[in-house]
């Protein structure tokens, strides 16, 4: 009996030959809304439902700076942070991915144009009182807020922008995360998930 050589024993690490990037872009689903609206929680649940990838753009910024988002926003200041966020968002290349964005992404049209090119934008709409309660429980969310601004100030100015850019608006106040996922899947343009064999 022959003994296999060390070359024979080396596992094939090249991966499946059938795996490749899509020849044509596949849509993503982008979640927008205030901090505390549930973008990450609902986004992860939606990605599991569709068997898609999930991406949180705030985590990309944290990875670039190797720091908490709150520390990044504090160090840069509002305007510089918004420029950094727009640059990170505009560099995203993804397919079949649910993307949860930071609440401030709507301040830069460049970022919003890029996100709209990736797929439909779903606004998770919750009232100010819920946003205040959730942020009070986790104040280190990395809010991009200018000197003298209040949470109410940025809530009101962002609501107009969310409405302007959203493809769909999911009223999330009286829905749990799974109900939000169901609503999004039922109301998405059919072509978004049609090529994926529909939701699971």
């Amino acid at each position: 009996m022959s003994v296999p050589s060390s070359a024979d024993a080396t596992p094939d690490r090249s991966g499946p030959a059938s795996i490749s990037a899509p020849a044509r872009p596949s849509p993503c689903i982008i979640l927008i809304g205030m901090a505390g609206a549930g973008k990450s929680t609902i986004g992860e649940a939606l990605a599991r439902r569709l068997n898609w990838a999930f991406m949180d753009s705030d985590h990309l910024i944290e990875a670039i700076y190797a720091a908490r988002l709150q520390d990044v926003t504090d160090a840069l200041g509002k305007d510089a942070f918004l420029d950094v966020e727009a640059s990170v968002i505009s560099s995203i290349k993804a397919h079949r991915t649910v993307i949860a964005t930071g609440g401030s992404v709507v301040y830069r049209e460049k970022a919003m144009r890029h996100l709209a090119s990736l797929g439909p934008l779903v606004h998770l709409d919750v009232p100010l009182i819920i946003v205040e309660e959730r942020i009070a429980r986790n104040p280190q969310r990395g809010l991009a807020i200018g000197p003298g601004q209040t949470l109410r100030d940025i809530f009101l100015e962002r609501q107009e922008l969310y409405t302007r850019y959203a493809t769909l608006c999911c009223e999330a106040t009286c829905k749990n995360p799974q109900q939000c996922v169901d609503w999004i899947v039922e109301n998405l343009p059919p072509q978004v998930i049609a090529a994926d064999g529909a939701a699971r």
Side-chain angles (χ1 to χ4, degrees), residues 20-30 51-53 92-99 114-120 191-197:
S20 61
R24 293 183 300 173
S26 301
C28 296
I29 300 168
I30 300 93
N51 197 27
W52 286 14
I92 292 175
K93 297 178 181 178
H95 307 277
R96 295 176 69 252
T97 301
V98 178
I99 303 173
H114 181 69
L115 290 173
S117 76
L118 297 177
Q191 65 271 22
V192 173
I193 57 177
D196 197 43

Side-chain angles (χ1 to χ4, degrees), residues 8-61:
D8 294 333
T10 302
D12 179 8
R13 300 184 188 278
S14 60
S18 61
I19 297 294
S20 61
R24 293 183 300 173
S26 301
C28 296
I29 300 168
I30 300 93
L31 304 183
I32 62 175
M34 281 294 295
K39 299 184 297 291
S40 295
T41 300
I42 293 167
E44 289 178 337
L46 179 59
R48 286 194 300 270
R49 168 80 172 269
L50 299 174
N51 197 27
W52 286 14
F54 173 74
M55 178 188 300
D56 187 321
S57 66
D58 283 348
H59 292 171
L60 294 180
I61 297 171

Side-chain angles (χ1 to χ4, degrees), residues 152-171:
R152 179 181 179 83
D153 292 335
I154 63 172
F155 178 88
L156 293 175
E157 69 185 14
R158 290 180 186 181
Q159 283 296 99
E160 180 182 346
L161 295 171
Y162 296 140
T163 301
R164 178 191 307 173
Y165 289 114
T167 309
L168 298 173
C169 181
C170 175
E171 201 291 305

Side-chain angles (χ1 to χ4, degrees), residues 114-166:
H114 181 69
L115 290 173
S117 76
L118 297 177
L121 281 69
V122 180
H123 174 208
L124 299 181
D125 190 17
V126 296
L128 176 60
I129 188 170
I130 290 180
V131 172
E132 289 174 330
E133 290 171 356
R134 292 176 179 174
I135 289 179
R137 292 199 297 267
N138 181 14
Q140 299 300 312
R141 288 178 178 268
L143 282 177
I145 188 166
Q149 282 191 310
T150 66
L151 184 56
R152 179 181 179 83
D153 292 335
I154 63 172
F155 178 88
L156 293 175
E157 69 185 14
R158 290 180 186 181
Q159 283 296 99
E160 180 182 346
L161 295 171
Y162 296 140
T163 301
R164 178 191 307 173
Y165 289 114

Side-chain angles (χ1 to χ4, degrees), residues 99-110:
I99 303 173
T101 62
S104 56
V105 70
V106 286
Y107 286 121
R108 294 292 186 262
E109 187 175 351
K110 169 188 173 183

